[in-house]
Amino acid sequence: MKFLRRGESDTTSDTSTVDAGGAATVRERPSTAGKGRPTPKRREAEARRRGPVAPAPLTSKEARARRKELRGSRADRKVDAAERKAATQDRRARMLAGEEQYLLPRDKGPVKGYVRDIVDARRNLLGLFMPLALVLILSMILSPALQAIVTLAMLVMMVFMIIEGVILGRIVSKRVRERFPDATDSSFSLGWYSFVRASQIRRMRAPKPRVSAGDSI
C-alpha cells in the first residue's frame, strides 16, 4: 500500500480505501493529460472571433470596388456628412457660448474667463489696429507716394499697441492675483492672453464676450 506524501509529484495519484474486512485496497486515479498545444495569443483569439480575413485585392479594380463597398452608398455618405457637419456646428456654437467642456484648452478655467471679462469690459485701442492697418495698406497700394507716410503711421500704431499691451497686462495680472490668490498662471501668460484677445475685433472674439463695454468687473 502506497500513500503519497505532501510535496511529491507523480503522474498518477493513489487513493486507499479500507473494506469491511480491514483490508486496504488501492485505486489509481488517472492523471489529467495536458492540452498538448501552446496557448493561443490574444491577437489570434480575436481574429478567430471576428471570422476569416478577406484576402487582399489582386487588382486596382478590386481595390476600388472594396473601398466603395466599405464607404457605403452615396445616400449613406451624405447622411453621415450632414451629421458630422451638424455636430461640428453644435460644438462651435457651444464653444462660442462659453460652455466650459467645449472650450479650447487655452480658454478653460475661471481665471481665463475672468481675464476675458476684464478685456471685454474695456474699450481698447488694440482692437482698432487690424482695421486701421488694413486701411493703411490699401491706401499705400492705391497711392504708392504715400508709402513713407503709411509706414510711419504703422510704426506709431505699433508703439501705442505695445504700450497699451503692457499696461493691460499689468492690470489683468494684478486683478487676477487679488481675485484668485492661488492661481498658478504666470504674469506673462496672463498678459499675453489679454493682449491677444484685446487685439481682436470684438465681434470676432471667441468665446463671445459675456459682458458689455463699460461694465464693471
Side-chain angles (χ1 to χ4, degrees):
M1 179 175 60
K2 181 179 178 182
F3 295 92
L4 290 177
R5 296 179 182 177
R6 181 177 300 177
E8 291 181 352
S9 59
D10 291 336
T11 57
T12 61
S13 59
D14 298 336
T15 57
S16 62
T17 59
V18 180
D19 56 11
T25 60
V26 179
R27 289 183 301 175
E28 185 175 341
R29 182 181 299 171
S31 61
T32 303
K35 293 186 297 183
R37 63 181 184 278
T39 303
K41 296 181 179 180
R42 182 178 179 182
R43 184 181 302 174
E44 297 174 357
E46 292 178 352
R48 285 198 296 267
R49 285 198 298 269
R50 287 195 297 264
V53 180
L58 300 178
T59 62
S60 58
K61 183 178 180 180
E62 292 182 2
R64 288 194 301 269
R66 185 171 298 181
R67 287 196 300 267
K68 185 177 180 180
E69 182 180 356
L70 293 175
R71 287 198 306 266
S73 63
R74 180 175 297 180
D76 293 338
R77 294 198 300 271
K78 286 184 178 180
V79 171
D80 293 340
E83 291 178 352
R84 289 195 300 269
K85 183 178 180 180
T88 302
Q89 291 177 349
D90 180 68
R91 287 195 300 269
R92 176 169 176 77
R94 292 175 181 269
M95 184 271 292
L96 292 176
E99 295 189 20
E100 186 71 18
Q101 59 181 341
Y102 294 95
L103 293 178
L104 297 176
R106 67 180 183 185
D107 300 322
K108 288 186 175 181
V111 175
K112 296 299 180 61
Y114 183 62
V115 172
R116 291 196 298 272
D117 291 342
I118 295 175
V119 174
D120 296 335
R122 290 171 53 90
R123 292 180 174 87
N124 305 289
L125 293 176
L126 290 171
L128 300 176
F129 175 77
M130 293 180 64
L132 289 178
L134 182 60
V135 171
L136 291 175
I137 292 174
L138 290 176
S139 63
M140 183 175 60
I141 294 175
L142 296 176
S143 179
L146 298 176
Q147 182 175 359
I149 299 176
V150 171
T151 303
L152 179 61
M154 293 188 67
L155 290 175
V156 172
M157 288 176 55
M158 290 182 65
V159 171
F160 276 104
M161 280 185 60
I162 294 173
I163 294 175
E164 187 180 17
V166 172
I167 296 174
L168 179 61
R170 290 183 176 180
I171 293 174
V172 168
S173 179
K174 180 181 179 181
R175 296 184 62 177
V176 167
R177 302 306 176 199
E178 295 174 353
R179 182 74 173 269
F180 303 94
D182 298 332
T184 58
D185 301 85
S186 63
S187 298
F188 177 80
S189 64
L190 293 174
W192 179 253
Y193 185 75
S194 60
F195 175 82
V196 172
R197 185 166 180 87
S199 62
Q200 298 172 345
I201 300 175
R202 185 179 180 86
R203 65 180 59 185
M204 296 178 63
R205 294 173 183 174
K208 294 293 185 182
R210 54 188 181 184
V211 295
S212 301
D215 290 351
S216 59
I217 303 301

